[in-house]
Amino acid sequence: MGTVDKEQPTADRRAGGGEGPRWLVWTVAVATVLGALFAGGALIRDIRNWTWTGADDGTSPSGPAAAAGSAPAPQTSAAAGPTPSPASGPGGVHVDSLPMQAGAGNIVALPRPLKDQPGLSRAIAVGCPENTAHDKQREVTYELRRRYQDLTLTVQAYSPDDPQAPVRVTVNVAVRRTDGTIDRLARGSVDARQGTPGQLTADVAGADDLTLRVECQSPTSIAVLADARITPA
């Protein structure tokens, strides 16, 4: 009968001893598959991010995100200045664009024969007084607020009943003192007849108000203040 070496492993021991390496192989295989899956997901995510946000070279994104983005703000030319006021011009500000303080009822419509004459589109037409004890002059007052310095205007007379009847326009200013009192000062006057206009330049610097006073020989006359402008201080 043969003998069995006690140190020599039997067949059962050899079979049981092989389970350790197989378990390790399966573990490595599973880890490899999971790593591949995670790597693939990260790659897909990077590709999607690149597609929506654009490449690194600064190109604009494409697709729905670009269409939904806000449009760029319109550019404003640096050479374009502020829109000038329609009341201003090379010779200053039109007087009829200033705030009116009093005398709006003394302004009348420009006579029809004068409407088509050049230079009268911004004219101020003031009706003449009745020359009675209570109606010797007509006035129109504008606010200056100490913002202007020189007034220029041309006076024309419209006297259909008496073309030789003169009209007179006087420039008065009001200056308020610090104690509240008001100084009313005359700054010049000019006469005109129909067909013979008169021109006037007056210093109104420092004045709070401007009053244009009209006096007439004939109550049916009209004083027309053409191209009345005032220069800012």
Side-chain angles (χ1 to χ4, degrees):
M1 175 183 292
T3 61
V4 178
D5 189 357
K6 294 182 179 179
E7 301 299 330
Q8 182 178 0
T10 61
D12 293 340
R13 289 182 181 178
R14 288 196 301 269
E19 292 177 357
R22 284 198 298 271
W23 174 84
L24 180 60
V25 170
W26 281 108
T27 301
V28 172
V30 172
T32 302
V33 172
L34 292 177
L37 291 176
F38 282 118
L43 179 60
I44 295 175
R45 180 192 59 195
D46 293 341
I47 293 175
R48 288 181 177 177
N49 290 340
W50 184 90
T51 303
W52 290 110
T53 58
D56 293 338
D57 60 356
T59 57
S60 301
S62 60
S70 59
Q75 297 181 355
T76 303
S77 175
T83 303
S85 170
S88 63
V93 176
H94 290 286
V95 172
D96 66 343
S97 68
L98 299 175
M100 182 175 293
Q101 189 179 79
N106 295 328
I107 296 180
V108 299
L110 190 68
R112 182 176 299 179
L114 303 181
K115 287 185 177 181
D116 295 333
Q117 291 189 9
L120 298 181
S121 60
R122 302 293 295 266
I124 303 172
V126 181
C128 288
E130 296 292 336
N131 291 336
T132 62
H134 301 287
D135 188 14
K136 294 182 178 181
Q137 58 197 24
R138 300 285 175 89
E139 294 181 343
V140 180
T141 301
Y142 297 92
E143 296 181 9
L144 297 185
R145 303 174 184 177
R146 303 188 180 187
R147 299 176 180 176
Y148 305 93
Q149 57 184 5
D150 292 317
L151 168 71
T152 59
L153 56 84
T154 300
V155 179
Q156 297 185 24
Y158 178 72
S159 305
D161 297 336
D162 185 2
Q164 296 300 316
V167 300
R168 173 172 294 179
V169 175
T170 302
V171 174
N172 295 299
V173 296
V175 180
R176 291 178 176 83
R177 296 177 177 268
T178 55
D179 59 0
T181 58
I182 300 177
D183 291 337
R184 301 189 183 278
L185 309 172
R187 293 294 173 86
S189 62
V190 62
D191 294 340
R193 290 180 172 84
Q194 184 166 312
T196 307
Q199 294 183 344
L200 173 64
T201 300
D203 179 11
V204 297
D208 295 276
D209 302 325
L210 165 68
T211 298
L212 303 175
R213 176 180 296 173
V214 174
E215 300 171 282
C216 307
Q217 185 180 81
S218 172
T220 60
S221 298
I222 295 176
V224 179
L225 284 60
D227 199 27
R229 296 174 183 260
I230 194 167
T231 57

